[in-house]
Amino acid sequence: MLEPSTPVQYVKGIGPRLAEILAAKGLHTVDDLLHYLPFRYEDRLNPRSIAELRAGEMATVIGEVRTSGLFRTRKMPIFQLTVGQGRARLKCLWFNGTYLRDKFQPGQIVALYGKVEDDRGELQLRQPQFEILGEPEGDAEQKASESLEIGRIVPIYESAGQGRLTSRWFRRTIRRALEDLSPEMPEGIPASVRKRLNLLPPREALWKVHWPDEGESVHALQSFRTPAHIRMIFEELFFIELGLELKRREQKAQTGIAFDLTDQVRQAIKKILPFHPTNAQKRALKEIASDMEKPFPMRRLLQGDVGSGKTLVAFEAAIIAIENGYQVALMAPTEILAQQHYFSARRILEPSGYRIVLLTGSLEDDRKREIRRHIAQGGAQLVIGTHALIEQKVEFDKLGLVIVDEQHRFGVLQRFKLMKKQDARPNTNHVGAAALSRPEQRSAVSSAAELRSARQPRAAVPTQIDRTDEGARASTASAEPDVLVMTATPIPRTLALTLYGDLDLSVLDEMPPGRTPIVTKRVGDESSEKIWQFVRQQVAAGHQAYVVYPVIEENEESELKAAMKMYRELSKKVFPDLQVAVLHGRMEADLKEQVMRLFQQGKIQILVSTTVIEVGVDVPNAAVMVIEHAERFGLAQLHQLRGRIGRGAAKSYCILMTGGKVSEEAERRLDAMVRTNDGFEIAELDLEMRGPGEFFGTRQAGMPTFQVASLTRDRDLLELAKKEAAAVLSGPNPEISQLDIDRALRRMRTKWQKTYGLVEVG
Ligand code: ADP
Ligand code: MG
């Protein structure tokens, strides 16, 4: 009898050797194996007769092998197979099909699946998927097992181990595992939810997802929307959302700082504003301020497309904390960005007398020590820095607010490390050292009792917070600072629901006034001369330009050369009379800073760069962005780069230059860029094209991957899961029984934590 937790090697037909192949695919237990779902299904109940095939359709054909052979053409070897049904024949072709040479014998029964094509009046299948179903003189056992392959809807699995474990192998092995599975399948989903959504029991869902009933709609199967699919996908998403919801409530139940929003604070905010905030900025600030007033820690995500003006909102929030006598930490993903924030903070905030420091990794040790002391003694009110802030030990006297800019660069894991560090410490809050050591794994909620208190956050904290200075000081002894996370990546809603399911969301959906939309054009690099001429005109009109070269890894030798080489060419040959400078990740921090400052001041006219300028850089006078080898950049990256321009009143131009071969995918990316400026539209497309795992590129650590769910396909179920997870935990009489809670938690701790351990760190 198999249990879900039994290692796969004990399933009949799998030994230690095959178990290794499965392990490489992430399949360790019987449960993993049973969640290895077919990626499509073949309707072999009603296979098509050759006579009724139509060109252009996808079809499954079952026939008998007549002839086969390898033909060599001048270009490549082609393998040809002819199958028959009675007198009808069908030709199948595989290019470079040498590997098929000894595969087929006359008389075998084969199933073929592929696109029907018309070859000068004759129908054929090109490169079909195939399966040999029976030998001409098969033995009895084989005949019996043919019933798994013919005359029904058949599940098709991705093969593994370089084809050693075929779809057919999976079909049989998974079936055996299902047959031997213990009849006691624990049900994790609370009864109320199950009833409301009419979900199949787990065992039945497992059977049917692998072996659908005869009458099941093939369309529903292919789109993963049979009741069995829905149950399995919902189950996975439900536990993730339940965990995130529990975590959210747990965070809210902790003691935070109740900042005071006095008239004096309001005046201080008004005083710094260099322009009228947009309505979106006003709304976001209101949401943030209202969080900050509450005695619970704020955990809020401020999302807004590039250029929507997040920095100003962050500064306003900082003022609330500083005016209340607290310190603020502002973290940026790159030194350039930290520096830029430092400059604008000084410009905007220093006139009001706030004390601001910049702490980055590249500072001299002495200087660093000195700054840290200044921070520890409470002298610095706004601390701006890079990761150095969390990577090294920084002690705050009285940390009240942490702002994390351009969150998508940090990765999920890091975000939680930082928050973890805000854990209660008497009087001082350390950010660092321990943050790097792996925080102890603990479940989102370790007991039902904790869950109960999480459900009623208000009961867990004092209802009345003493607003006097004394009181505030006393209450901070174990208070968590507020956290504001900002991102310019317009995360599609589905992703935000999972990645940031534990944060509250504010959105800047409006651009500051006076911007003209950016014109985006695509050209081949044979037109570069014309482009340089255009750049020259723009510079003559008083604007500045970026010219960007692709980089995969910032320190990759070959890429640096590309930017450097073009810098030499552009500065010496093309624009010898203009101020041209170069910026890349390998330069000394001082030099980078100097270049950025000169560019900001307009003393550099053309900045040749790698993607170090991708995020956050703000020079409103820059009106031209030329991206060479645009075909090599991801969609999100292109959008980020384009976000560097169009920040002032002048009309801006983004020129996507391509050189060499442009793949079909790249073609779609470039089209999208030319078609729209809307970051959300671009993000949706990006997610669709790349899949969530790669959505943020390699820098994004800890992106959850799913067993059966897909973020692009299953948006509807994700929303549903989130709603249901919130519903079962809400209200004075939650509709979830203690028994169900315990079961759900047990279930979450074993399965969910194993798979999504990262999400619940801290
Ligand atoms: P992002 O959201 O990409 O971080 P920034 O905060 O860098 O955007 O702001 C982009 C530009 O818009 C900056 O030059 C900033 O000074 C300007 N800006 C921000 N808010 C407003 C506003 N309400 N009115 C006019 N300009 C604004
Ligand atoms: Mg920004």
Side-chain angles (χ1 to χ4, degrees), residues 36 257 371 628 634 673 736:
Y36 191 71
I257 306 160
I371 292 177
E628 287 226 52
M673 285 294 292
I736 178 170

Side-chain angles (χ1 to χ4, degrees), residues 274-278 281 304-313 340-341 347-348 405-406 486-488 508 511-513 515 616-620 643-644 647:
F275 20 59
H276 284 296
T278 63
Q281 283 170 323
D305 207 346
V306 283
S308 57
K310 294 181 292 293
T311 317
L312 190 69
V313 178
Q340 180 182 291
H341 279 319
R347 193 177 68 237
I348 296 175
D405 193 18
E406 303 297 355
M486 306 198 289
T487 180
L508 294 184
M511 285 291 168
R515 307 246 169 111
V617 168
D618 180 40
V619 179
R644 298 312 108 221
R647 301 185 149 236

